[in-house]
């Protein structure tokens, strides 16, 4: 039988799903590690990206830092953690994956805020909005599509890369692939790869649905209230 056929047979065995350290348990731990990593990445990346994007400062430095940090391989970070007290705890892959997730969130959030139409921002300020109100009630809704794209990209990458946690004994679906290599059973290896790919695809679909839900298409509710004000501001006689 081919490796793919062996993988189908292995996946169709209910015991492989329900036993201790089976597919369901490993998938749950895989998602837990991924969710913790994304939570840390969002806490670290979103506030400075929103603030700098709103202020329009340090864009080159921020994007350069984002590009440099993308060049740091997750496997290298895990290897470093292997010789530290964190090496075989859940926090080693969580921190490594968080570092991996920060760049796309950081870059997309900053660019999303900077690409908001400056005329709309000026109209909001002319209405008497404070800087905080402009950021949260004007810029954020308009930047949200790009922000969600960064979050979605980071989440899919994290779910796929969390497989490497198995190298440090982490309970992710990478353990299935590691077990297959250990047994020299390539059907199990293919089964593990299919499970990781399916989980990454499911993550993409769920976050795409969330993105559509929180970023309704045009016309946006905010714009009709701003455009008349913009016309009024433009019509004011020069002082």
């Amino acid at each position: 039988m081919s490796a793919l056929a062996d993988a189908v047979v292995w996946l169709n065995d209910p015991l492989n799903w329900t036993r201790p350290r089976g597919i369901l348990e490993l998938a749950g731990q895989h998602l837990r590690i991924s969710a913790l990593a994304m939570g840390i990445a969002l806490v670290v990346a979103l506030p400075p990206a929103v603030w700098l994007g709103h202020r329009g400062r340090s864009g080159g430095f921020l994007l350069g830092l984002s590009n440099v940090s993308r060049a740091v391989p997750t496997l290298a970070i895990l290897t470093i953690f292997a010789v530290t007290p964190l090496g075989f705890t859940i926090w080693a892959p969580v921190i490594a994956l968080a570092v991996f997730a920060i760049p796309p969130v950081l870059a997309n959030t900053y660019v999303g805020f900077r690409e908001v139409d400056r005329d709309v921002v000026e109209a909001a300020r002319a209405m008497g909005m404070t800087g905080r109100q402009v950021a949260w009630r004007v810029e954020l809704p308009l930047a949200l599509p790009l922000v969600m794209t960064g979050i979605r990209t980071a989440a899919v990458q994290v779910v796929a890369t969390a497989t490497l946690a198995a190298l440090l004994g982490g309970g992710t679906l990478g353990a299935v692939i590691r077990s297959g290599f250990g047994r020299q059973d390539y059907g199990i290896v293919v089964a593990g790869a299919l499970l990781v790919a399916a989980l990454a695809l499911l993550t993409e679909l769920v976050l795409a649905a969330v993105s559509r839900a929180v970023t309704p298409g045009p016309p946006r509710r905010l714009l009709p209230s701003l455009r008349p004000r913009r016309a009024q501001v433009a019509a004011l006689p020069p002082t």
Side-chain angles (χ1 to χ4, degrees):
M1 297 177 68
S2 67
L4 182 59
D6 290 342
V8 172
V9 171
W10 190 85
L11 290 172
N12 282 327
D13 186 347
L15 183 61
N16 291 329
W17 290 80
T18 57
R19 62 180 172 81
R21 289 187 65 82
I23 295 172
L24 294 179
E25 180 180 333
L26 292 174
Q29 294 178 6
H30 194 117
L31 289 174
R32 181 187 174 201
I33 289 173
S34 301
L36 286 172
M38 282 301 302
I40 293 174
L42 293 178
V43 169
V44 172
L46 284 179
V50 169
W51 187 77
L52 291 173
H54 170 68
R55 302 284 292 181
R57 297 177 179 175
S58 305
F61 171 77
L62 192 68
L63 296 178
L65 179 63
S66 174
N67 290 331
V68 169
S69 58
R70 290 187 191 196
V72 179
T74 305
L75 183 58
I77 299 176
L78 287 173
T79 303
I80 294 172
F81 278 138
V83 296
T84 69
L86 292 176
F88 294 92
T89 69
I90 190 176
W91 294 109
V94 166
I95 295 173
L97 292 169
V99 172
F100 185 54
I102 287 172
V105 176
L106 196 67
N108 278 56
T109 301
Y110 177 83
V111 171
F113 270 74
R114 293 312 303 155
E115 287 191 353
V116 173
D117 189 343
R118 294 297 98 187
D119 290 339
V120 175
V121 173
E122 291 302 321
R125 288 173 177 160
M127 293 175 64
M129 288 187 179
T130 64
R132 185 185 297 272
Q133 289 173 327
V134 170
W136 292 107
R137 296 177 58 185
V138 179
E139 292 177 322
L140 179 59
L142 297 176
L144 208 49
L146 265 179
V147 174
M148 286 302 302
T149 297
I151 293 174
R152 192 168 75 243
T153 300
V156 172
Q157 291 177 347
V158 164
V159 169
T161 311
T163 310
L164 295 176
L167 297 176
L168 296 180
T172 67
L173 290 173
V176 176
I177 299 174
R178 183 182 180 186
S179 173
F181 278 117
R183 300 180 188 180
Q184 295 187 344
D185 187 334
Y186 296 108
I188 297 178
V189 174
V190 172
L194 291 175
L195 289 170
V196 173
L199 194 59
L201 179 60
L202 180 61
T203 301
E204 167 70 22
L205 293 175
V206 170
L207 289 180
V210 172
S211 180
R212 286 194 298 270
V214 300
T215 56
R220 297 184 182 275
R221 295 179 180 179
L222 182 65
L223 298 184
S225 65
L226 291 181
R227 284 172 180 159
R229 182 62 181 178
R230 288 172 57 188
Q232 294 171 16
V233 173
L236 291 176
T239 57

